[in-house]
């Protein structure tokens, strides 16, 4: 249908002219800052190893450094950026969320839970892997998957510290939380945003049950694939 419409209406001369306009200087500089920020965050661990820094140092330094450069560069708009363009509610939510995860580690709760999991499964790697993968998926279906990952991180750290297990459990947590978040509407922030957008545009609303009927199938298939992947691929 799209192909027919494109042939019917032909090229959009206005759009063609618009695309030929080179981006202005401020936009080019802004895109450069953005690319540098993403690269530094993506390569943060390698940079920390190269300069002998503590883990996570670049994750803290990079956003603050790049934000400071932008504030100096656009100093006439700096106050507006801070007061109007920063999603403070979202930032505070994540600050408190990760503070909660840090509290679990500091108080020893995470290590206690890790020891309990190890005692239950008697160092049976397959059972432990299944508990992290499917347990994380079930909880993600009931809560937001970001919350689940944040809560599980100190527990997985505790398990990997107490045993000689490799990084497979980290992948189990990732797959479990992400795929489990697809099971219900509230399982992922992206789901909630998508439903809100659908309702805002005046189309229709998807009920919890209608989403669940499809979500449980999608979640089950993807989780089984992830489980088989995590069981067999490390052997090769």
């Amino acid at each position: 249908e799209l192909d027919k419409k494109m042939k019917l209406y032909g090229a959009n001369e206005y759009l063609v002219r618009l695309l030929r306009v080179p981006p202005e200087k401020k936009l080019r500089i802004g895109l450069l800052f953005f690319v540098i920020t993403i690269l530094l965050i993506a390569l943060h661990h390698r940079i920390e190893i190269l300069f002998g820094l503590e883990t996570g140092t670049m994750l803290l330094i990079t956003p603050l450094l790049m934000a400071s450069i932008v504030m100096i560069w656009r100093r006439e708009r700096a106050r507006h950026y801070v007061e109007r363009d920063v999603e403070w509610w979202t930032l505070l939510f994540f600050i408190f969320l990760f503070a909660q995860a840090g509290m679990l580690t500091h108080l020893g709760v995470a290590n206690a839970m890790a020891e309990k999991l190890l005692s239950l499964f008697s160092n049976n790697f397959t059972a432990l892997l299944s508990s992290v993968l499917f347990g994380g998926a079930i909880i993600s279906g009931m809560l937001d998957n970001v919350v689940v990952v944040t809560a599980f991180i100190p527990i997985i750290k505790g398990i990997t510290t107490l045993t000689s297990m490799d990084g497979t459990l980290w992948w189990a947590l990732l797959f479990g939380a992400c795929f489990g978040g697809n099971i219900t509407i509230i399982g992922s922030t992206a789901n909630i945003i998508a439903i809100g957008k659908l309702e805002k545009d005046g189309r229709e609303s998807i009920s919890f049950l209608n989403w669940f009927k499809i979500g449980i199938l999608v979640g089950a298939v993807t989780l089984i694939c992830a489980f088989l992947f995590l069981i067999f691929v490390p052997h090769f």
Side-chain angles (χ1 to χ4, degrees), residues 26-39:
K26 289 181 180 179
L27 178 60
R28 293 199 302 269
I29 296 174
L31 289 174
L32 177 63
F33 287 159
F34 178 73
V35 171
I36 292 174
T37 304
I38 297 300
L39 285 175

Side-chain angles (χ1 to χ4, degrees), residues 132-161:
V132 173
L133 178 67
F134 295 107
I138 293 171
I139 300 174
S140 290
M142 297 183 289
L143 302 172
D144 189 276
N145 50 14
V146 176
V147 178
V148 175
V149 170
T150 307
F152 264 82
I153 282 176
I155 298 174
I156 301 300
K157 279 185 178 180
I159 293 174
T160 53
T161 302

